[in-house]
Amino acid sequence: MVKDKNIEIENLSQTKDNKKILDNINLSIPINKVVCLVGPSGCGKTSLLRAISGLDNFSSGRISFDNKIISKPNYSVPTENRNIGLVFQESNLFPHLNVFKNVSFGSKKKKYKDIQKETFEILKKIGLPHYANVYPHQLSGGQKQLVAIARSLLTKPKLIMMDEPFANLDERLKNKIRDITLHLLQKTFTTALIITHDPDDAMFMGDFIAIMNNGKILQFDTPENIYNNPSSSFVARFFGETLSIKSKVNNKKAKTIFGPINITNSKNGKEIEIVFRSEAFNITKNKSKNRTKKIKSRIIAVRYISDNSYLHLDILNNSFKKHIHIKVPGKFIPPKNKICYINIGKKNFFVF
Amino acid sequence: MVNLNSFKDFFVNKSFNSWIFISLFITFFLSFPIISLIFNVLLNYNSDWNIVLNIEIWDYLFNSVCIVFFQSIFVVVFGVSSAWLITTYDFPFRKVVDLFLLLPLSIPPYIAAIAYGELFDYSSYFQIFVRENIPFLNDINFFNIRSLPGVIFIFTITLYPYVYIISRAAFSEISYTYNEIGKTLGLKQLKIFFKVFLPLAIFPITGGVILSILESLNDFGTVQYYGVDTFTTGIYKTWIGLGDINLAAQISIFFLFFIFIILFLQKRFLSNEKINLKTSSRKETSLLPSGNLKKIFLITFCLFPAILGFFIPFIFLLFNSIQALEIFVSKDTLINTFNTVLLATLVSFTIIFLSLIINYSARIKPTKINLFFNKISSLGYAIPGSIIAIGILVPFTFMDNFFINIFKNNFNLDINTFFTGSIFVLCFAYIVRFFTISQTNIESSFYRTSKNIDDAAKCLGKKSYFILFNIHIPLMSLSIFLSLILVFIEILKELSATLILRPFNFDTLAIQVYEYASEEKIIESTIPSLIIVVLCVIGIIFISRINDHLLKSGKR
């Protein structure tokens, strides 16, 4: 799929206390692209990052940069010689050094003039050139994170890795900082691996997304493909709100409360799971002559959020009592407790 | 290419191993006295042991147990109550009183013993006044300070600050909300103290009590001066008096056993490490206000231990030293002051250096073996100075004899002792004994620095020694300074190991005090005493300033 490989992780496994933390990980991080590694907490994202950076060892597999092996069991280039950048959740700026000294910490230049030039260049890029003499404790959370990123970028790393860089920031600040970060990475042509538990962050930042669970990479693809062609129900459920229904294949069809659904490539009697995104549901009138079945529901609450109406519905079916959410574009505010009908469209559901 | 890399990697990995190797070396160095003691007792079992065991060792044990028991009660009463009042109530001069409560740390027990010995002497103004004015107390034996109760009194007033410091820190770390919750549940302040704060702080408090016990068990001057025999005097007598180093080693081992029982009991029964304290540094505003009468009571109550432990001995020293000013400028005093300060500076810097290495090694390679080194190396403070001295003396005497024989037999030369009686051996003993002080400080400041800081610096291409010197040492500079002063003060006061190991013609201030006092030249002894006390007071003022600063910046 990707030809310009520069960071290659092959069959990487790591065991700790008899538990497989990383299970046969294969990942190619393409050059100059941003890859987001996303997954629930405890799935092994940070372990993978520490293995790549050389801070932790692993039991089998290998890691190579530019076709040169830098790490395999019993052999490992020490972290300080790998030329990578690392940014943590807490910025970890050196508290006794000011912003200028922090950013220039990893500089390989000898002359002070060169260091100064280099440092101010990057400080300008993050919009903080006049903060050079300020100490970390005087910075806001977002500024600290930007300085930490600048500090890593100054060494022109082959790969910059960020571990939940935006998790400690509030929503508004986060949007701003991740925007600056994305453009900074693009401008400096930096390859990046960003760890996050937030699918929104991954969608926003990533050229590619790798989704991880229980120490395995489930899917590695572009954001569009991940969203539109999820490889498993876990991936489908991870991005956005979903409703999941279990059913059986019968005559290339599966029975659901929304009527039968065509299943082309499955054997009769196979247990399947159908995952509906909330975009799959439409609100219809009772009388409309649509092929799919209409389900009676009651409106519990309606909220109007940035020109979308957000409907909370209880499905009124004795055998299938569920609560679902539907986003309707524009202002659509029916009264509470009103009965309405929903059906499903042709898109936005997946069969596994 | 790969080969070249692995070659390089081999050396890099080797540098990691060298950290472990150095730690191993330091640990061996620090546990050497104990190892040598154990070996000596196993190899040279001495039948004289039975004589000592029958007659004297039970006296030592009885006296030591009495001291430990009563001293524990009294230091808790003094230390915990004043710490509670200082951390709970607001009253005028609170900060000054707080500093005063620390000052007894500057008075070594033997100096307080000399002062109170004079003040309560039969012919002292105090005794004469009591005899002449209080009819039913005209017995000449009224309050003989040179006795077991006298020793306990001296230890209490000079050593309660260990409990005070620790309980004060514990009380101010326990979240103030517990107090507020207690009040909303209708509890009185005193009940909140007994039901919430005391149980929560019991482990650190007993830790403080143990420290004070270790100090008093280490003491030689006081018990010797007041004629109460304990293990320390026993060891000294056997070595200097009988000249029997093997027997001294045996008594030392017996004594060590006694100490480890105390340490074990504390760990076993009072550890509440499972309780996860919700801690927060208390703000000044959360102190309780108090009325005028109460304010006067609080000030007097809190000043009481400080007056007994510092001001009375200090004023005694001041008044008497005025009569002996010519000694102050004497050559001996100047040389001894120079010796002591030089020794203390040298040893405290060495100790800091060693503890930085051993802790940093445990940080970059947190393997079980490294953590074990860390534990072992900090045992020294539990071991009395006299035992460390014997533990060092045993192998070095052996080595000296070995060399003397070689030179005599082969070259027909008479040489002096090589190791015993050298400054090196004395420094060695100090390092072993006081390593713990800086170890705990440095360890906790390493612990406070996030490991991500190391990782970030590593990713920026820096080697481990660079990270140590450019990140950790600047970050913990205050803690390092604090440890330097603490070790320095302890060395100024140290007597029991110095007395056994001091080189010929080399005296420290503490030795000078001891020698004058044992010749009953009390007035002369006040001069070196005063120099020790004043140096220590300066150090303690520094310490309390640094501690305040660390508290405010949230690093403690």
Side-chain angles (χ1 to χ4, degrees):
Chain A
M1 175 191 58
V2 189
K3 277 172 191 167
D4 281 333
K5 293 168 186 176
N6 80 338
I7 281 110
E8 187 87 35
I9 295 145
E10 290 163 277
N11 306 325
L12 188 82
S13 292
Q14 187 185 40
T15 342
K16 226 180 238 169
D17 305 326
N18 289 328
K19 215 188 132 204
K20 264 205 166 168
I21 295 170
L22 298 176
D23 191 356
N24 205 19
I25 300 275
N26 284 293
L27 189 65
S28 314
I29 301 172
I31 200 160
N32 295 348
K33 298 282 184 209
V34 178
V35 174
C36 283
L37 185 60
V38 66
S41 42
C43 71
K45 303 181 299 260
T46 302
S47 304
L48 179 60
L49 176 142
R50 292 183 69 84
I52 297 173
S53 61
L55 295 168
D56 281 350
N57 295 328
F58 48 87
S59 31
S60 66
R62 60 184 193 178
I63 300 170
S64 40
F65 285 17
D66 298 336
N67 292 325
K68 211 192 291 169
I69 294 178
I70 60 151
S71 194
K72 61 185 180 189
N74 304 324
Y75 169 75
S76 159
V77 174
T79 306
E80 57 263 34
N81 299 342
R82 286 192 186 193
N83 196 15
I84 47 168
L86 203 49
V87 176
F88 299 91
Q89 187 171 338
E90 304 91 24
S91 62
N92 284 302
L93 296 177
F94 307 122
H96 61 302
L97 303 177
N98 63 21
V99 168
F100 177 84
K101 283 186 180 155
N102 257 294
V103 173
S104 60
F105 188 84
S107 174
K108 287 171 192 106
K109 297 265 179 3
K110 291 267 150 60
K111 283 185 195 155
Y112 181 72
K113 259 192 180 169
D114 294 340
I115 296 175
Q116 201 179 24
K117 194 183 155 214
E118 191 180 42
T119 310
F120 273 100
E121 233 163 58
I122 196 105
L123 280 177
K124 265 177 212 155
K125 277 181 191 154
I126 58 167
L128 299 172
H130 44 285
Y131 280 75
N133 294 319
V134 165
Y135 280 85
H137 64 95
Q138 295 163 294
L139 296 174
S140 74
Q143 288 169 334
K144 273 186 205 167
Q145 224 39 319
L146 286 178
V147 173
I149 292 168
R151 179 175 70 179
S152 294
L153 286 178
L154 188 91
T155 58
K156 304 202 166 51
K158 278 210 183 79
L159 171 71
I160 182 168
M161 296 193 279
M162 307 189 192
D163 190 356
E164 302 273 11
F166 313 121
N168 276 0
L169 308 177
D170 68 69
E171 193 67 22
R172 259 164 221 282
L173 190 59
K174 177 173 108 171
N175 291 343
K176 191 178 147 201
I177 299 297
R178 78 182 176 188
D179 190 59
I180 298 174
T181 308
L182 176 64
H183 301 314
L184 191 61
L185 291 174
Q186 286 174 333
K187 266 186 234 163
T188 50
F189 303 102
T190 310
T191 316
L193 178 66
I194 299 175
I195 283 187
T196 171
H197 65 276
D198 183 350
D200 279 352
D201 280 352
M203 287 290 186
F204 186 91
M205 297 288 292
D207 292 309
F208 295 93
I209 291 177
I211 176 161
M212 214 173 157
N213 194 27
N214 289 332
K216 283 182 187 159
I217 288 193
L218 302 178
Q219 194 172 1
F220 177 60
D221 218 327
T222 58
E224 306 87 84
N225 279 340
I226 293 251
Y227 196 78
N228 294 325
N229 295 310
S231 67
S232 65
S233 70
F234 180 86
V235 177
R237 275 189 268 124
F238 199 80
F239 292 90
E241 276 183 67
T242 55
L243 178 71
S244 162
I245 294 174
K246 295 238 155 89
S247 181
K248 260 185 191 171
V249 182
N250 194 3
N251 252 339
K252 299 202 168 178
K253 277 190 177 161
K255 234 176 150 183
T256 71
I257 56 157
F258 301 104
I261 287 174
N262 289 329
I263 313 278
T264 43
N265 44 9
S266 259
K267 284 175 191 165
N268 268 357
K270 194 194 168 194
E271 299 262 355
I272 55 161
E273 185 187 358
I274 306 162
V275 179
F276 298 91
R277 286 206 196 286
S278 66
E279 295 98 292
F281 304 113
N282 303 312
I283 301 220
T284 61
K285 288 166 192 164
N286 192 15
K287 285 169 189 168
S288 87
K289 287 175 184 172
N290 207 321
R291 246 179 272 162
T292 50
K293 207 171 149 189
K294 292 173 282 285
I295 298 290
K296 201 173 169 188
S297 332
R298 173 181 285 132
I299 294 172
I300 302 298
V302 186
R303 296 290 179 267
Y304 177 64
I305 304 167
S306 50
D307 207 32
N308 283 306
S309 302
Y310 199 67
L311 276 66
H312 297 246
L313 299 165
D314 270 355
I315 293 176
L316 300 175
N317 183 314
N318 284 337
S319 61
F320 192 80
K321 283 188 174 153
K322 289 267 167 144
H323 180 78
I324 61 167
H325 299 141
I326 298 180
K327 207 152 87 174
V328 181
K331 196 171 171 183
F332 173 67
I333 306 183
K336 199 180 159 190
N337 286 331
K338 195 191 167 190
I339 302 295
C340 68
Y341 292 87
I342 54 174
N343 67 358
I344 52 166
K346 285 182 182 168
K347 284 197 299 183
N348 285 321
F349 61 84
F350 313 100
V351 179
F352 301 104
Chain B
M1 200 64 211
V2 172
N3 278 337
L4 188 70
N5 271 341
S6 55
F7 190 68
K8 205 169 151 193
D9 188 56
F10 175 75
F11 280 100
V12 172
N13 273 335
K14 201 152 184 214
S15 86
F16 268 93
N17 287 336
S18 72
W19 283 106
I20 294 187
F21 181 75
I22 295 170
S23 306
L24 174 76
F25 182 74
I26 297 172
T27 312
F28 174 72
F29 179 75
L30 292 173
S31 48
F32 179 72
I34 295 304
I35 296 172
S36 81
L37 263 189
I38 294 170
F39 268 94
N40 182 63
V41 170
L42 290 178
L43 294 175
N44 305 314
Y45 187 77
N46 191 330
S47 55
D48 284 351
W49 175 246
N50 291 323
I51 306 167
V52 179
L53 196 68
N54 284 336
I55 310 158
E56 282 173 349
I57 208 158
W58 301 118
D59 278 353
Y60 303 161
L61 189 64
F62 173 77
N63 284 337
S64 295
V65 168
C66 275
I67 290 172
V68 166
F69 181 76
F70 288 105
Q71 184 203 332
S72 306
I73 296 174
F74 293 134
V75 290
V76 166
V77 171
F78 274 34
V80 175
S81 61
S82 47
W84 169 250
L85 296 177
I86 286 271
T87 51
T88 314
Y89 294 98
D90 192 19
F91 52 87
F93 308 115
R94 207 180 123 262
K95 293 224 153 152
V96 184
V97 174
D98 181 28
L99 179 64
F100 284 172
L101 278 166
L102 297 176
L103 288 181
L105 280 179
S106 65
I107 311 259
Y110 53 86
I111 290 180
I114 294 168
Y116 278 97
E118 278 304 286
L119 289 172
F120 287 117
D121 195 60
Y122 176 72
S123 56
S124 69
Y125 292 122
F126 174 76
Q127 292 275 23
I128 292 170
F129 175 82
V130 169
R131 272 200 303 279
E132 287 179 355
N133 293 293
I134 307 174
F136 53 89
L137 283 179
N138 54 8
D139 182 4
I140 49 165
N141 281 327
F142 162 71
F143 200 69
N144 178 14
I145 189 114
R146 292 166 191 253
S147 61
L148 187 59
V151 168
I152 294 169
F153 168 74
I154 295 293
F155 285 152
T156 305
I157 58 164
T158 50
L159 301 176
Y160 80 85
Y162 288 96
V163 180
Y164 172 73
I165 294 173
I166 289 183
S167 24
R168 183 175 164 278
F171 289 145
S172 49
E173 263 171 26
I174 295 169
S175 172
Y176 189 70
T177 50
Y178 289 126
N179 204 348
E180 283 159 357
I181 293 166
K183 268 191 205 152
T184 56
L185 295 172
L187 266 71
K188 287 255 160 54
Q189 199 63 49
L190 202 62
K191 218 169 184 185
I192 295 175
F193 169 70
F194 280 110
K195 286 197 129 178
V196 183
F197 281 82
L198 193 59
L200 281 177
I202 195 76
F203 190 64
I205 289 174
T206 51
V209 174
I210 296 274
L211 273 182
S212 80
I213 289 173
L214 293 176
E215 275 295 321
S216 65
L217 291 178
N218 170 59
D219 175 85
F220 173 77
T222 310
V223 285
Q224 165 83 0
Y225 191 64
Y226 281 2
V228 175
D229 277 344
T230 61
F231 283 110
T232 338
T233 51
I235 291 166
Y236 187 75
K237 272 188 194 166
T238 335
W239 165 227
I240 303 288
L242 299 176
D244 191 339
I245 198 161
N246 292 333
L247 195 58
Q250 271 160 243
I251 300 175
S252 301
I253 289 284
F254 192 83
F255 189 14
L256 264 190
F257 186 65
F258 175 70
I259 289 170
F260 283 126
I261 286 178
I262 296 176
L263 292 179
F264 171 77
L265 289 178
Q266 190 230 5
K267 270 258 144 54
R268 176 74 185 73
F269 293 108
L270 291 163
S271 164
N272 60 353
E273 279 161 32
K274 278 174 205 156
I275 298 175
N276 199 357
L277 273 186
K278 187 188 165 205
T279 61
S280 68
S281 56
R282 203 184 290 194
K283 283 176 194 146
E284 296 288 311
T285 48
S286 59
L287 293 166
L288 298 174
S290 45
N292 280 340
L293 252 180
K294 204 171 179 184
K295 274 177 192 163
I296 293 169
F297 165 76
L298 286 170
I299 296 179
T300 347
F301 188 93
C302 291
L303 272 183
F304 181 64
I307 289 170
L308 284 182
F310 179 74
F311 287 101
I312 290 179
F314 186 67
I315 290 166
F316 171 86
L317 291 180
L318 269 186
F319 270 93
N320 284 289
S321 59
I322 291 168
Q323 302 175 33
L325 270 181
E326 73 275 10
I327 296 172
F328 184 64
V329 286
S330 79
K331 203 176 145 200
D332 272 1
T333 315
L334 289 177
I335 289 175
N336 290 344
T337 312
F338 178 74
N339 281 349
T340 315
V341 170
L342 185 72
L343 205 59
T345 315
L346 202 73
V347 173
S348 41
F349 274 97
T350 315
I351 285 180
I352 299 292
F353 179 69
L354 294 181
S355 54
L356 276 172
I357 290 178
I358 205 164
N359 274 301
Y360 191 57
S361 158
R363 186 181 177 90
I364 45 182
K365 280 262 152 172
T367 50
K368 275 192 184 141
I369 186 152
N370 252 340
L371 298 175
F372 176 71
F373 289 163
N374 247 7
K375 282 259 149 25
I376 289 287
S377 59
S378 53
L379 270 179
Y381 201 70
I383 304 164
S386 46
I387 296 190
I388 292 175
I390 296 294
I392 291 175
L393 215 48
V394 169
F396 282 122
T397 313
F398 176 79
M399 270 152 65
D400 268 343
N401 289 337
F402 181 73
F403 280 117
I404 288 173
N405 281 335
I406 282 184
F407 276 88
K408 205 168 193 175
N409 297 339
N410 298 337
F411 309 107
N412 207 11
L413 280 173
D414 277 328
I415 56 156
N416 278 330
T417 51
F418 219 66
F419 298 105
T420 50
S422 70
I423 298 270
F424 163 73
V425 167
L426 188 58
C427 289
F428 186 12
Y430 287 163
I431 291 171
V432 173
R433 174 143 168 84
F434 300 123
F435 186 76
T436 326
I437 300 174
S438 81
Q439 166 71 10
T440 43
N441 264 310
I442 304 275
E443 189 179 20
S444 69
S445 22
F446 266 119
Y447 187 74
R448 280 195 301 269
T449 314
S450 160
K451 279 217 169 155
N452 288 345
I453 290 242
D454 297 48
D455 293 347
K458 248 195 234 171
C459 288
L460 294 168
K462 301 297 180 192
K463 292 255 174 354
S464 42
Y465 64 86
F466 183 91
I467 298 172
L468 175 65
F469 284 102
N470 287 282
I471 307 250
H472 290 298
I473 292 181
L475 270 181
M476 57 173 71
S477 53
L478 265 185
S479 287
I480 290 176
F481 189 54
L482 186 74
S483 318
L484 273 177
I485 300 175
L486 282 170
V487 175
F488 191 88
I489 287 179
E490 289 295 331
I491 294 171
L492 284 185
K493 298 182 343 191
E494 154 61 56
L495 178 65
S496 39
T498 321
L499 210 51
I500 296 179
L501 293 177
R502 71 184 151 136
F504 185 66
N505 261 345
F506 180 94
D507 286 344
T508 63
L509 287 170
I511 295 278
Q512 203 185 354
V513 174
Y514 170 78
E515 286 190 336
Y516 278 135
S518 46
E519 293 163 17
E520 285 295 327
K521 290 181 181 169
I522 301 303
I523 291 177
E524 285 84 344
S525 79
T526 55
I527 295 289
S529 300
L530 199 64
I531 299 174
I532 296 179
V533 172
V534 169
L535 285 175
C536 289
V537 166
I538 295 170
I540 286 165
I541 292 172
F542 263 116
I543 292 171
S544 95
R545 279 288 166 87
I546 295 172
N547 254 334
D548 275 0
H549 185 82
L550 287 175
L551 263 177
K552 266 185 203 146
S553 60
K555 283 181 180 168
R556 262 273 144 114

